[in-house]
mmCIF file of all heavy atoms in Angstrom:
data_model
loop_
_atom_site.group_PDB
_atom_site.id
_atom_site.type_symbol
_atom_site.label_atom_id
_atom_site.label_comp_id
_atom_site.label_asym_id
_atom_site.label_seq_id
_atom_site.Cartn_x
_atom_site.Cartn_y
_atom_site.Cartn_z
ATOM 1 N N SER A 68 218.962 -58.476 -24.990
ATOM 2 C CA SER A 68 219.797 -58.369 -26.205
ATOM 3 C C SER A 68 220.669 -57.083 -26.207
ATOM 4 O O SER A 68 221.808 -56.943 -26.565
ATOM 5 C CB SER A 68 219.106 -58.535 -27.508
ATOM 6 O OG SER A 68 218.537 -59.771 -27.656
ATOM 7 N N HIS A 71 223.588 -57.342 -23.794
ATOM 8 C CA HIS A 71 224.731 -57.923 -24.286
ATOM 9 C C HIS A 71 225.793 -56.818 -24.985
ATOM 10 O O HIS A 71 226.885 -56.883 -24.739
ATOM 11 C CB HIS A 71 224.406 -58.972 -25.356
ATOM 12 C CG HIS A 71 223.794 -60.207 -24.842
ATOM 13 N ND1 HIS A 71 224.236 -60.894 -23.829
ATOM 14 C CD2 HIS A 71 222.569 -60.766 -25.201
ATOM 15 C CE1 HIS A 71 223.339 -61.973 -23.560
ATOM 16 N NE2 HIS A 71 222.357 -61.846 -24.382
ATOM 17 N N ARG A 138 224.264 -59.223 -44.224
ATOM 18 C CA ARG A 138 223.827 -60.625 -43.872
ATOM 19 C C ARG A 138 222.291 -60.569 -43.918
ATOM 20 O O ARG A 138 221.688 -59.535 -43.702
ATOM 21 C CB ARG A 138 224.334 -61.088 -42.622
ATOM 22 C CG ARG A 138 223.837 -60.335 -41.348
ATOM 23 C CD ARG A 138 224.377 -60.885 -40.067
ATOM 24 N NE ARG A 138 225.776 -60.663 -39.887
ATOM 25 C CZ ARG A 138 226.387 -60.972 -38.785
ATOM 26 N NH1 ARG A 138 225.728 -61.543 -37.748
ATOM 27 N NH2 ARG A 138 227.701 -60.753 -38.656
ATOM 28 N N TYR A 145 220.832 -52.120 -33.518
ATOM 29 C CA TYR A 145 221.513 -53.479 -33.084
ATOM 30 C C TYR A 145 222.803 -53.645 -33.984
ATOM 31 O O TYR A 145 222.756 -53.421 -35.151
ATOM 32 C CB TYR A 145 220.608 -54.656 -33.120
ATOM 33 C CG TYR A 145 221.061 -55.652 -32.104
ATOM 34 C CD1 TYR A 145 220.625 -55.493 -30.729
ATOM 35 C CD2 TYR A 145 221.936 -56.602 -32.400
ATOM 36 C CE1 TYR A 145 221.199 -56.403 -29.736
ATOM 37 C CE2 TYR A 145 222.454 -57.597 -31.423
ATOM 38 C CZ TYR A 145 222.041 -57.415 -30.137
ATOM 39 O OH TYR A 145 222.451 -58.232 -29.125
ATOM 40 N N MET A 148 223.177 -55.279 -37.838
ATOM 41 C CA MET A 148 221.855 -55.474 -38.304
ATOM 42 C C MET A 148 221.412 -54.412 -39.269
ATOM 43 O O MET A 148 220.294 -54.063 -39.233
ATOM 44 C CB MET A 148 220.895 -55.594 -37.147
ATOM 45 C CG MET A 148 220.952 -56.849 -36.350
ATOM 46 S SD MET A 148 220.290 -58.314 -37.332
ATOM 47 C CE MET A 148 220.735 -59.650 -36.253
ATOM 48 N N ASP A 280 215.802 -72.510 -24.333
ATOM 49 C CA ASP A 280 216.916 -71.740 -23.948
ATOM 50 C C ASP A 280 216.737 -70.286 -24.091
ATOM 51 O O ASP A 280 216.755 -69.735 -25.237
ATOM 52 C CB ASP A 280 218.174 -72.215 -24.822
ATOM 53 C CG ASP A 280 219.475 -71.289 -24.588
ATOM 54 O OD1 ASP A 280 219.429 -70.506 -23.762
ATOM 55 O OD2 ASP A 280 220.413 -71.574 -25.368
ATOM 56 N N ALA A 281 216.487 -69.648 -22.979
ATOM 57 C CA ALA A 281 216.215 -68.154 -22.987
ATOM 58 C C ALA A 281 217.367 -67.396 -22.348
ATOM 59 O O ALA A 281 217.095 -66.329 -21.872
ATOM 60 C CB ALA A 281 214.911 -67.941 -22.268
ATOM 61 N N VAL A 282 218.649 -68.001 -22.400
ATOM 62 C CA VAL A 282 219.747 -67.370 -21.944
ATOM 63 C C VAL A 282 220.682 -66.955 -22.943
ATOM 64 O O VAL A 282 221.006 -65.750 -23.066
ATOM 65 C CB VAL A 282 220.557 -68.440 -20.964
ATOM 66 C CG1 VAL A 282 221.813 -67.789 -20.355
ATOM 67 C CG2 VAL A 282 219.573 -68.915 -19.809
ATOM 68 N N GLY A 283 221.142 -67.844 -23.727
ATOM 69 C CA GLY A 283 222.170 -67.439 -24.875
ATOM 70 C C GLY A 283 223.514 -67.579 -24.518
ATOM 71 O O GLY A 283 223.952 -68.300 -23.445
ATOM 72 N N PHE A 284 224.414 -66.886 -25.177
ATOM 73 C CA PHE A 284 225.851 -67.179 -25.137
ATOM 74 C C PHE A 284 226.518 -66.718 -23.828
ATOM 75 O O PHE A 284 227.685 -67.089 -23.513
ATOM 76 C CB PHE A 284 226.575 -66.460 -26.363
ATOM 77 C CG PHE A 284 226.693 -64.910 -26.326
ATOM 78 C CD1 PHE A 284 227.836 -64.470 -25.975
ATOM 79 C CD2 PHE A 284 225.538 -64.168 -26.565
ATOM 80 C CE1 PHE A 284 228.008 -62.988 -26.007
ATOM 81 C CE2 PHE A 284 225.716 -62.845 -26.569
ATOM 82 C CZ PHE A 284 226.928 -62.197 -26.266
ATOM 83 N N GLU A 285 225.877 -65.861 -23.049
ATOM 84 C CA GLU A 285 226.577 -65.473 -21.701
ATOM 85 C C GLU A 285 226.067 -66.525 -20.660
ATOM 86 O O GLU A 285 226.015 -66.016 -19.486
ATOM 87 C CB GLU A 285 226.137 -64.032 -21.428
ATOM 88 C CG GLU A 285 226.953 -62.992 -22.268
ATOM 89 C CD GLU A 285 226.806 -61.637 -21.742
ATOM 90 O OE1 GLU A 285 227.404 -61.364 -20.709
ATOM 91 O OE2 GLU A 285 226.154 -60.799 -22.309
ATOM 92 N N ALA A 286 225.891 -67.741 -20.996
ATOM 93 C CA ALA A 286 225.398 -68.656 -19.992
ATOM 94 C C ALA A 286 226.475 -68.922 -18.871
ATOM 95 O O ALA A 286 227.693 -68.926 -19.160
ATOM 96 C CB ALA A 286 225.018 -70.008 -20.726
ATOM 97 N N GLN A 295 230.068 -70.408 -18.892
ATOM 98 C CA GLN A 295 230.246 -71.549 -19.716
ATOM 99 C C GLN A 295 229.269 -71.405 -20.823
ATOM 100 O O GLN A 295 228.061 -71.742 -20.725
ATOM 101 C CB GLN A 295 230.080 -72.879 -18.997
ATOM 102 C CG GLN A 295 230.908 -73.183 -17.844
ATOM 103 C CD GLN A 295 230.642 -74.540 -17.133
ATOM 104 O OE1 GLN A 295 229.960 -75.373 -17.699
ATOM 105 N NE2 GLN A 295 231.267 -74.588 -15.969
ATOM 106 N N PRO A 296 229.647 -70.961 -22.056
ATOM 107 C CA PRO A 296 228.703 -70.459 -23.088
ATOM 108 C C PRO A 296 227.789 -71.641 -23.613
ATOM 109 O O PRO A 296 226.726 -71.274 -24.070
ATOM 110 C CB PRO A 296 229.722 -70.006 -24.130
ATOM 111 C CG PRO A 296 230.946 -69.669 -23.529
ATOM 112 C CD PRO A 296 231.077 -70.617 -22.347
ATOM 113 N N ALA A 297 228.276 -72.901 -23.495
ATOM 114 C CA ALA A 297 227.395 -73.958 -23.974
ATOM 115 C C ALA A 297 226.631 -74.639 -22.858
ATOM 116 O O ALA A 297 225.936 -75.641 -23.120
ATOM 117 C CB ALA A 297 228.284 -75.023 -24.727
ATOM 118 N N ALA A 298 226.708 -74.131 -21.652
ATOM 119 C CA ALA A 298 226.101 -74.846 -20.517
ATOM 120 C C ALA A 298 224.554 -75.103 -20.664
ATOM 121 O O ALA A 298 224.088 -76.192 -20.356
ATOM 122 C CB ALA A 298 226.365 -74.061 -19.204
ATOM 123 N N VAL A 299 223.888 -74.066 -21.181
ATOM 124 C CA VAL A 299 222.477 -74.177 -21.294
ATOM 125 C C VAL A 299 222.071 -75.152 -22.408
ATOM 126 O O VAL A 299 221.217 -75.995 -22.216
ATOM 127 C CB VAL A 299 221.812 -72.836 -21.479
ATOM 128 C CG1 VAL A 299 220.327 -73.030 -21.897
ATOM 129 C CG2 VAL A 299 221.826 -71.965 -20.137
ATOM 130 N N LEU A 300 222.649 -74.980 -23.549
ATOM 131 C CA LEU A 300 222.443 -75.971 -24.597
ATOM 132 C C LEU A 300 222.666 -77.378 -24.258
ATOM 133 O O LEU A 300 221.891 -78.274 -24.518
ATOM 134 C CB LEU A 300 223.392 -75.594 -25.816
ATOM 135 C CG LEU A 300 223.028 -74.350 -26.501
ATOM 136 C CD1 LEU A 300 224.093 -74.005 -27.536
ATOM 137 C CD2 LEU A 300 221.653 -74.194 -27.101
ATOM 138 N N ASN A 301 223.672 -77.723 -23.547
ATOM 139 C CA ASN A 301 224.026 -79.092 -23.185
ATOM 140 C C ASN A 301 222.999 -79.586 -22.001
ATOM 141 O O ASN A 301 222.627 -80.703 -22.027
ATOM 142 C CB ASN A 301 225.500 -79.180 -22.602
ATOM 143 C CG ASN A 301 226.491 -79.004 -23.740
ATOM 144 O OD1 ASN A 301 226.227 -79.512 -24.826
ATOM 145 N ND2 ASN A 301 227.690 -78.478 -23.454
ATOM 146 N N ILE A 303 219.867 -78.564 -21.649
ATOM 147 C CA ILE A 303 218.543 -78.809 -22.125
ATOM 148 C C ILE A 303 218.468 -80.100 -22.990
ATOM 149 O O ILE A 303 217.494 -80.812 -23.002
ATOM 150 C CB ILE A 303 217.855 -77.588 -22.852
ATOM 151 C CG1 ILE A 303 218.711 -77.209 -24.073
ATOM 152 C CG2 ILE A 303 217.778 -76.417 -21.962
ATOM 153 C CD1 ILE A 303 218.064 -76.095 -24.973
ATOM 154 N N ILE A 315 215.331 -72.245 -29.142
ATOM 155 C CA ILE A 315 216.505 -71.592 -28.700
ATOM 156 C C ILE A 315 216.440 -70.100 -29.134
ATOM 157 O O ILE A 315 217.032 -69.572 -30.065
ATOM 158 C CB ILE A 315 217.762 -72.165 -29.242
ATOM 159 C CG1 ILE A 315 217.799 -73.691 -28.988
ATOM 160 C CG2 ILE A 315 219.018 -71.563 -28.742
ATOM 161 C CD1 ILE A 315 218.903 -74.532 -29.712
ATOM 162 N N PRO A 316 215.501 -69.297 -28.497
ATOM 163 C CA PRO A 316 215.598 -67.832 -28.788
ATOM 164 C C PRO A 316 216.659 -67.067 -28.087
ATOM 165 O O PRO A 316 216.831 -65.879 -28.406
ATOM 166 C CB PRO A 316 214.150 -67.446 -28.228
ATOM 167 C CG PRO A 316 213.865 -68.353 -27.004
ATOM 168 C CD PRO A 316 214.571 -69.728 -27.427
ATOM 169 N N GLY A 317 217.354 -67.648 -27.178
ATOM 170 C CA GLY A 317 218.456 -66.974 -26.521
ATOM 171 C C GLY A 317 219.495 -66.646 -27.508
ATOM 172 O O GLY A 317 219.798 -67.384 -28.534
ATOM 173 N N LEU A 318 220.173 -65.558 -27.476
ATOM 174 C CA LEU A 318 220.989 -64.936 -28.416
ATOM 175 C C LEU A 318 222.365 -65.638 -28.467
ATOM 176 O O LEU A 318 223.011 -65.786 -27.490
ATOM 177 C CB LEU A 318 221.240 -63.445 -28.223
ATOM 178 C CG LEU A 318 222.223 -62.700 -29.084
ATOM 179 C CD1 LEU A 318 221.689 -62.655 -30.523
ATOM 180 C CD2 LEU A 318 222.478 -61.306 -28.527
ATOM 181 N N TYR A 319 222.888 -65.961 -29.623
ATOM 182 C CA TYR A 319 224.166 -66.492 -29.907
ATOM 183 C C TYR A 319 224.803 -65.624 -30.933
ATOM 184 O O TYR A 319 224.139 -65.341 -31.990
ATOM 185 C CB TYR A 319 224.246 -67.897 -30.258
ATOM 186 C CG TYR A 319 223.901 -68.807 -28.992
ATOM 187 C CD1 TYR A 319 222.519 -69.085 -28.612
ATOM 188 C CD2 TYR A 319 224.900 -69.289 -28.106
ATOM 189 C CE1 TYR A 319 222.332 -69.888 -27.547
ATOM 190 C CE2 TYR A 319 224.626 -70.021 -27.072
ATOM 191 C CZ TYR A 319 223.192 -70.260 -26.698
ATOM 192 O OH TYR A 319 222.977 -71.039 -25.597
ATOM 193 N N VAL A 320 226.069 -65.353 -30.848
ATOM 194 C CA VAL A 320 226.758 -64.309 -31.687
ATOM 195 C C VAL A 320 228.012 -65.002 -32.397
ATOM 196 O O VAL A 320 228.525 -65.933 -31.978
ATOM 197 C CB VAL A 320 227.182 -63.051 -30.969
ATOM 198 C CG1 VAL A 320 225.924 -62.228 -30.494
ATOM 199 C CG2 VAL A 320 228.078 -63.268 -29.866
ATOM 200 N N THR A 321 228.384 -64.282 -33.510
ATOM 201 C CA THR A 321 229.552 -64.781 -34.130
ATOM 202 C C THR A 321 230.798 -63.997 -33.758
ATOM 203 O O THR A 321 231.935 -64.495 -34.042
ATOM 204 C CB THR A 321 229.402 -64.573 -35.667
ATOM 205 O OG1 THR A 321 229.106 -63.130 -35.989
ATOM 206 C CG2 THR A 321 228.194 -65.453 -36.231
ATOM 207 N N ASP A 322 230.585 -62.875 -33.025
ATOM 208 C CA ASP A 322 231.788 -62.189 -32.547
ATOM 209 C C ASP A 322 231.529 -61.753 -31.081
ATOM 210 O O ASP A 322 230.618 -60.916 -30.837
ATOM 211 C CB ASP A 322 232.018 -60.906 -33.299
ATOM 212 C CG ASP A 322 232.459 -61.234 -34.747
ATOM 213 O OD1 ASP A 322 233.571 -61.733 -34.906
ATOM 214 O OD2 ASP A 322 231.633 -60.941 -35.707
ATOM 215 N N ASP A 323 232.280 -62.281 -30.179
ATOM 216 C CA ASP A 323 232.127 -61.953 -28.689
ATOM 217 C C ASP A 323 233.503 -61.652 -28.232
ATOM 218 O O ASP A 323 234.337 -62.491 -27.777
ATOM 219 C CB ASP A 323 231.509 -63.193 -28.000
ATOM 220 C CG ASP A 323 231.543 -62.975 -26.478
ATOM 221 O OD1 ASP A 323 231.748 -61.889 -26.069
ATOM 222 O OD2 ASP A 323 231.425 -63.997 -25.698
ATOM 223 N N GLY A 334 232.005 -67.535 -31.572
ATOM 224 C CA GLY A 334 230.784 -68.317 -31.513
ATOM 225 C C GLY A 334 230.912 -69.779 -31.567
ATOM 226 O O GLY A 334 229.859 -70.531 -31.914
ATOM 227 N N LEU A 336 231.225 -73.107 -29.890
ATOM 228 C CA LEU A 336 231.041 -73.570 -28.495
ATOM 229 C C LEU A 336 231.130 -75.044 -28.471
ATOM 230 O O LEU A 336 230.912 -75.814 -29.429
ATOM 231 C CB LEU A 336 229.644 -73.134 -28.095
ATOM 232 C CG LEU A 336 229.257 -71.592 -28.252
ATOM 233 C CD1 LEU A 336 227.804 -71.386 -27.712
ATOM 234 C CD2 LEU A 336 230.186 -70.791 -27.587
ATOM 235 N N VAL A 338 229.489 -77.702 -27.784
ATOM 236 C CA VAL A 338 228.112 -78.315 -27.625
ATOM 237 C C VAL A 338 228.140 -79.805 -27.813
ATOM 238 O O VAL A 338 228.742 -80.371 -28.682
ATOM 239 C CB VAL A 338 227.092 -77.676 -28.616
ATOM 240 C CG1 VAL A 338 225.785 -78.197 -28.596
ATOM 241 C CG2 VAL A 338 227.051 -76.095 -28.433
ATOM 242 N N THR A 352 216.418 -72.362 -33.961
ATOM 243 C CA THR A 352 217.330 -71.277 -33.619
ATOM 244 C C THR A 352 217.025 -70.049 -34.444
ATOM 245 O O THR A 352 216.211 -70.040 -35.294
ATOM 246 C CB THR A 352 218.794 -71.588 -33.917
ATOM 247 O OG1 THR A 352 219.029 -71.778 -35.252
ATOM 248 C CG2 THR A 352 219.096 -73.020 -33.186
ATOM 249 N N GLY A 353 217.682 -68.890 -34.150
ATOM 250 C CA GLY A 353 217.596 -67.769 -34.895
ATOM 251 C C GLY A 353 216.746 -66.703 -34.261
ATOM 252 O O GLY A 353 216.063 -66.940 -33.377
#
Side-chain angles (χ1 to χ4, degrees):
S68 297
H71 292 304
R138 63 176 71 178
Y145 209 83
M148 287 290 174
D280 173 1
V282 178
F284 73 103
E285 287 193 73
Q295 296 179 18
V299 169
L300 293 173
N301 289 328
I303 62 176
I315 309 173
L318 177 67
Y319 288 88
V320 296
T321 56
D322 293 292
D323 174 13
L336 310 182
V338 178
T352 67

